[in-house]
Amino acid sequence: MSETNSAAETAAPHRYTAAMAADIEARWQDFWDAEGTYEAPNPTGDLAGDPAQAAKPKKFIMDMFPYPSGAGLHVGHPLGYIATDVFARHQRMTGHNVLHTLGFDAFGLPAEQYAVQTGTHPRVSTEANIENMTAQLRRLGLGHDKRRSFATIESEYYKWTQWIFLQIFNSWYDTEADRARPIAELVEQFESGSRPTPDGRDWSALSAVERADVLGEYRLAYASDAPVNWAPGLGTVLANEEVTADGRSERGNFPVFKAKLRQWNMRITAYADRLLNDLDGLDWPEAIKLQQRNWIGRSEGARVDFPVDGAGGITVFTTRQDTLFGATYMVLAPEHELVERITPAAWPEGTHPVWTGGHATPAEAVTAYRKLAAAKSDVERQAEAKDKTGVFTGAYATNPVSGEKVPVFIADYVLMGYGTGAIMAVPAHDARDFAFARAFELPMRCVVEPSDDRGTDPSTWEDAFSSYEAKLVNSANDEISLNGLGVVEAKAKITEWLTEHGVGEGTVNFRLRDWLFSRQRYWGEPFPIVYDEDGIAHPLPESMLPLELPEVDDYSPRTFDPDDADTQPETPLSRNADWVNVTLDLGDGNGPKKYRRETNTMPNWAGSCWYELRYLDPNNDSKLVDPAIEQYWMGPREGQPTGGVDLYVGGAEHAVLHLLYARFWSKVLHDLGHISSAEPFHKLYNQGMIQAFVYRDSRGIAVPAAEVEERDGAFYYQGEKVSRVLGKMGKSLKNAVTPDEICTEYGADTLRLYEMAMGPLDVSRPWDTRAVVGQYRLLQRLWRNVVDEETGEVTVVDAEPGEETLRALHKAIDGVGQDMAGMRFNTAIAKVTELNNHLTKAGGPLPRSVAESLVLLVAPLAPHIAEELWRRLGHTESVVYQDFPVADPAYVVDETVTCVVQVKGKVKARLEISPSITDEELEALALADPAVVAALGGAGIRKVIVRAPKLVNIVPA
């Protein structure tokens, strides 16, 4: 504690000090826990409570799942938690049944990496971190319903994560019904013949493996051999979203390569349209909606088939099907599955030497180029590189409209992650195709008439020409001509022709890819899947859930040289033979059989895809969630057509990953009838970040911010000059301030007020420990307005407040109430401060009604001191459920306002008038004012502009 605080405590024994705050806060936190003050009753079930409370309008308020870090909290972490707590408290005081709680997202890489380094079991370190974080959060006085808290690592929780996986595995997307349906209904269609099998054989004629393969093409969770992001340095594969823009792992910054592995995937692409369209009904920041729309990436165009002799054909997706006559070559992504099939043994006669890359055979050229491409990230491959690279496969395809043979290349600028992994190249009208054609001396054909003076011979052009406004040229065969048509008309005409001839059709494409759902880690949810001797995946029956993680000696996946792309994952679970190889009776009538367990685990996103549902019904061991309870808290209602959480607060960094995945899971569960809400989060609010200055020495290494001295505008650490820049707060940056430090120095209520007062909640702001004292003094003045610092007695009197005090009070009530509802906590605090200062300056003891209203106003923001003062004012019930004050409109409106009267734009008079005055009344008053009459000097009036009640502007004739 500072010397100033100690001196003040000695001088005034009942002054509000850090020591008194610590005592008050600890006592009330114990009281709230003992009384279950923040327990929100469900309408039914084991958490049902007071029916009158459950009958109130509900509010479900959530924070994004925290991860229990070993470093503990710094003051930046609780910003959102304090904000939701203030909002939740205000909602309770305005008559709502508020569900607000907090759990822990506890699976994932940090705990596993710590276990690898120290030999400590991930559960041990994670539970210790949770205990520490829980204590830190409790000290802030957060009003959480602790009965509903849990961690994703609890088997009672991840039993249901596994159960949801099985619902997704046992489902398929019916495009006609536009929803997910049980896979059993699809099997019935195959069995009855109402849906033909891919090759036309009867379902009964297919082997078990063939049936499994057919169903795998429909299941919403499926295993497949597919290109994945492989990080040898981590020993695991990553989702696209976990790879940074420069092609490295988000965690650990390791190189990431493309590899082909068998992995579990979620068919999120089946929901692309619904994920896109349902954004319109959500109350989310437009910036977040835009990021989701861009990630889903819907585009309309056409599918076109280019036949390849002896190898079927190559299918492309294009949004410029009108330029099909200009396609003079094709490019496949190096990973494309057709590459091996179409690559011949030898180069065709007359192959251009530039196309071969100097290799003796197509196979050698393709193999070498694929290795080069695998070492590049998707971002690097898409960059506008000056030199285009690629190699001819040795195969030719046929342009379906011109009949011309066009060479097929592989090149790294085409990705498997978009469209079909193949493009028709129209070099005259696409910049990348133009550059590639120049590099490989390929032909170009102009099919879109240039609007400038470059002419129609692309060999003379310096760059490609692309326009949606131009006319088509050189685009005709014996059956169709696009010449002279605009782009839109040409697109429609060629699409119709492609469909009629069975070589294409109009279609919609999405940038969104299926979600890679496997990780080669230990610390994650085991898949409830086993494989039989034929390699067919079987779901575990619900009675075998949860499938718990086994104990292992080595927690780490096998890692490799970070730059060695020619490696394969080896998981920790695969080394536990007794767990992997089991004999089970799956209850399918086949009796006990030998099976092999899945040795990958689920990604860290799995547990956070549905946690909002567990908060509702946390002890249910027979259902995911009771339907009546889910309907009560999250069901659709007026203004929330798809249901969901009423307020969800968290960082904008989760704009795509977590939010998109959670929306997908909600839609599947909704389709299958398990929940009534089709969206998990109706209103989303992104809080800003608390930043801090980072100080670095001449080596660029961060030095302890608390030990830096400022002299003459420069900064020094141990005598050496250091640089300063505003950035993130964190332990590694040596600038972290813990909430415990601030609570010890000033109290939790002061910390709460300071974080809320720093600026608008959605804006990042710098931390300044020296500024915290301002809010501490506000609480001291508040305390002095109610309690005598010498005696500790309450000083309020039973008297009626004066007119001026009533106006100040009710204006504050009106403003603070509106600010609280709008989450403008910084301006709410400013209004409370203004009122408190007014009452301090007015002098004398406060009237009881004013003191009580003041305490109620501050209660959501500083709940401990509010509880203490409320009790000292003689109340026996908690302040938490008291009614928030309501402003009297008569005192909110100013008694008079000042109206400015201008003549020729210059102020000539000021009138004190009623704010409700009419334009006509105000004009008459202004014209009669002696100063205005004198200014006019008998001149006529051309115009009078009245803006009641603030302005009159008179224009003389």
Side-chain angles (χ1 to χ4, degrees), residues 303-552:
R303 173 186 60 77
V304 186
D305 299 326
F306 285 70
V308 178
D309 291 340
I314 299 171
T315 298
V316 302
F317 170 81
T318 176
T319 58
R320 289 301 302 269
Q321 60 268 39
D322 55 303
T323 64
L324 189 49
F325 282 93
T328 57
Y329 67 97
M330 301 191 75
V331 184
L332 300 180
E335 307 87 357
H336 202 292
E337 61 179 10
L338 279 177
V339 173
E340 290 97 339
R341 251 192 291 162
I342 67 173
T343 302
W347 294 115
E349 189 176 341
T351 295
H352 195 313
V354 177
W355 297 2
T356 67
H359 295 281
T361 66
E364 289 176 19
V366 165
T367 301
Y369 188 78
R370 279 179 146 181
K371 192 165 186 178
L372 285 173
K376 292 185 181 180
S377 71
D378 286 358
V379 173
E380 288 175 303
R381 287 170 57 171
Q382 287 182 295
E384 293 296 329
K386 187 176 180 183
D387 299 318
K388 292 292 180 217
T389 64
V391 71
F392 180 41
T393 62
Y396 285 85
T398 302
N399 185 319
V401 293
S402 68
E404 293 175 349
K405 295 285 188 182
V406 295
V408 182
F409 285 75
I410 59 172
D412 60 12
Y413 77 93
V414 177
L415 305 176
M416 281 306 298
Y418 181 78
T420 62
I423 65 162
M424 63 176 209
V426 184
H429 308 294
D430 179 272
R432 291 187 306 169
D433 296 346
F434 185 93
F436 191 90
R438 278 283 161 89
F440 288 88
E441 300 177 19
L442 288 157
M444 304 187 200
R445 180 179 296 111
C446 174
V447 294
V448 179
E449 188 172 38
S451 55
D452 51 27
D453 58 2
R454 68 175 67 198
T456 58
D457 180 4
S459 66
T460 66
W461 296 356
E462 293 183 4
D463 54 18
F465 172 79
S466 180
S467 173
Y468 273 86
E469 306 301 324
K471 302 290 185 184
L472 274 294
V473 294
N474 301 324
S475 298
N477 61 27
D478 293 341
E479 299 178 8
I480 185 173
S481 174
L482 306 181
N483 293 334
L485 298 180
V487 171
V488 175
E489 193 178 353
K491 277 187 175 185
K493 189 169 184 179
I494 193 66
T495 301
E496 185 180 348
W497 187 90
L498 291 168
T499 305
E500 288 175 355
H501 287 72
V503 291
E505 62 180 350
T507 188
V508 173
N509 192 61
F510 294 92
R511 178 179 180 269
L512 182 68
R513 299 292 92 193
D514 282 345
W515 173 17
L516 177 69
F517 201 70
S518 295
R519 295 295 181 275
Q520 291 67 48
R521 315 298 312 186
Y522 168 70
W523 195 232
E525 298 92 340
F527 282 94
I529 292 288
V530 292
Y531 299 91
D532 64 21
E533 293 172 345
D534 295 320
I536 298 173
H538 295 267
L540 291 180
E542 189 176 330
S543 61
M544 291 187 181
L545 302 183
L547 173 60
E548 298 193 34
L549 271 174
E551 296 298 320
V552 297

Side-chain angles (χ1 to χ4, degrees), residues 563-743:
D563 296 306
D564 187 358
D566 297 325
T567 47
Q568 291 275 318
E570 180 187 291
T571 68
L573 291 180
S574 65
R575 298 192 284 265
N576 190 331
D578 290 343
W579 184 82
V580 174
N581 301 301
V582 289
T583 299
L584 300 172
D585 184 348
L586 299 182
D588 53 6
N590 293 319
K593 288 179 64 177
K594 290 182 178 179
Y595 295 97
R596 175 177 52 84
R597 294 196 193 278
E598 172 62 69
T599 58
N600 287 316
T601 52
M602 297 186 199
N604 59 302
W605 309 105
S608 60
C609 275
W610 72 280
Y611 70 119
E612 71 282 356
L613 298 172
R614 191 62 174 176
Y615 283 156
L616 307 182
D617 198 11
N619 304 318
N620 200 330
D621 61 0
S622 61
K623 284 182 182 175
L624 177 72
V625 60
D626 183 290
I629 294 172
E630 188 271 337
Q631 174 73 49
Y632 172 83
W633 288 110
M634 289 185 62
R637 62 204 65 219
E638 188 176 352
Q640 300 182 16
T642 48
V645 173
D646 296 292
L647 175 66
Y648 193 39
V649 174
E653 65 272 15
H654 296 291
V656 173
L657 293 173
H658 158 60
L659 292 173
L660 199 62
Y661 296 158
R663 295 181 64 214
F664 166 56
W665 277 36
S666 283
K667 290 185 183 304
V668 177
L669 292 170
H670 174 263
D671 286 356
L672 298 176
H674 299 299
I675 58 176
S676 66
S677 48
E679 286 282 344
F681 315 115
H682 172 71
K683 180 177 177 64
L684 175 69
Y685 190 99
N686 297 130
Q687 87 273 14
M689 183 186 298
I690 290 183
Q691 299 169 306
F693 286 111
V694 184
Y695 299 89
R696 297 186 185 276
D697 62 19
S698 57
R699 300 166 298 167
I701 295 174
V703 300
E707 298 174 32
V708 171
E709 298 177 352
E710 183 178 358
R711 296 199 301 269
D712 300 325
F715 303 94
Y716 297 86
Y717 172 69
Q718 295 182 349
E720 180 193 349
K721 195 172 182 179
V722 293
S723 65
R724 182 180 84 160
V725 65
L726 192 61
K728 287 186 176 182
M729 182 180 284
K731 188 176 180 182
S732 64
L733 298 172
K734 299 182 181 177
N735 63 354
V737 179
T738 70
D740 301 28
E741 294 172 54
I742 304 301
C743 289

